Amino acid sequence: MSIETLKKAVRNIPDYPIPGIQFKDITPLFQSAEHIKDLSEILYEKYKGRGITKVVGIESRGFFMGPALAIKLGAGFVPVRKPGKLPYKVIEERYTKEYGEDAIQIHEDALTPEDVVLIHDDLLATGGTMVAAYSLVRKLGVKEIYINFLIELEELKGRKHFPEEVEICSMIKYSI
Ligand code: AMP
């Protein structure tokens, strides 16, 4: 299955959750058994052989594919969550996103210096959420970090906020 076929399964919702936002709804893509199987295989082919030991998924749409990808890669899964959701000791980062302010947290013992981490989320818009997640993971002192998105809104240039040496990959791109 081609990326173009997967892209066709993403539904655009204009002016959601606020006017001016073109919301990319991935639920139709995940509704299809064939589509999620193909998506997980494309992701697995991309990241196998990199020695990834943990997939870090960002709440909440990073939890759709994150654990499935972790299982395929033989890696563990670590959630990055909104404040008040993780029960043990956490570290936190605050950030600005395409619409509104927010904060995210990770358990302070979730990663080790031996970990090779793939941070995964559904969508790159301004980059605020992933920059905060990247910063959390870096603070825990891991060996290497890869970044993956299902979707990238290229015109928002979220990539420019990351160091050049970090490999950032998005599967489905929108130019407007
Ligand atoms: P940002 O921090 O601006 O890169 O925003 C990325 C986060 O907000 C992701 O976790 C997305 O789930 C969500 N998000 C932002 N903009 C959109 C959009 N246009 N469509 C769907 N989700 C979005």
Side-chain angles (χ1 to χ4, degrees):
M1 184 178 292
S2 72
I3 296 290
E4 222 25 64
T5 307
L6 295 176
K7 187 173 181 175
K8 284 195 188 113
V10 176
R11 176 163 56 192
N12 190 69
I13 313 278
D15 299 319
Y16 180 88
I18 56 167
I21 300 294
Q22 299 293 325
F23 191 87
K24 305 301 179 207
D25 177 15
I26 56 171
T27 62
L29 194 155
F30 279 82
Q31 251 163 249
S32 157
E34 208 186 333
H35 286 170
I36 47 171
K37 183 168 177 285
D38 288 347
L39 183 59
S40 71
E41 269 159 22
I42 290 168
L43 287 167
Y44 172 67
E45 287 302 319
K46 167 87 192 152
Y47 291 106
K48 71 177 183 192
R50 309 283 187 104
I52 291 164
T53 57
K54 297 270 170 51
V55 175
V56 170
I58 304 177
E59 186 175 358
S60 58
R61 285 180 292 269
F63 296 175
F64 285 23
M65 186 49 76
L69 184 55
I71 293 166
K72 275 185 95 82
L73 290 170
F77 178 76
V78 172
V80 161
R81 300 206 64 184
K82 306 270 167 63
K85 301 287 189 185
L86 290 171
Y88 186 59
K89 293 177 200 160
V90 296
I91 56 169
E92 177 176 297
E93 279 287 324
R94 303 199 64 79
Y95 65 99
T96 309
K97 52 183 198 174
E98 198 185 7
Y99 40 88
E101 291 264 312
D102 224 329
I104 49 172
Q105 301 180 334
I106 192 169
H107 274 148
E108 65 172 24
D109 64 349
L111 300 167
T112 73
E114 284 72 46
D115 276 320
V116 175
V117 174
L118 173 62
I119 317 178
H120 166 80
D121 201 3
D122 67 324
L123 184 140
L124 173 62
T126 63
T129 313
M130 187 56 85
V131 167
Y134 176 74
S135 166
L136 285 177
V137 170
R138 282 210 58 174
K139 277 184 188 158
L140 295 181
V142 303
K143 202 188 273 179
E144 197 164 358
I145 304 174
Y146 298 97
I147 294 178
N148 173 266
F149 300 94
L150 300 182
I151 297 173
E152 178 172 2
L153 306 183
E154 288 180 308
E155 83 282 9
L156 294 174
K157 301 190 185 342
R159 279 177 182 265
K160 72 177 181 213
H161 303 294
F162 297 90
E164 248 176 48
E165 66 272 17
V166 183
E167 185 185 309
I168 303 171
C169 174
S170 57
M171 319 312 293
I172 301 170
K173 297 174 202 296
Y174 289 86
S175 55
I176 49 155

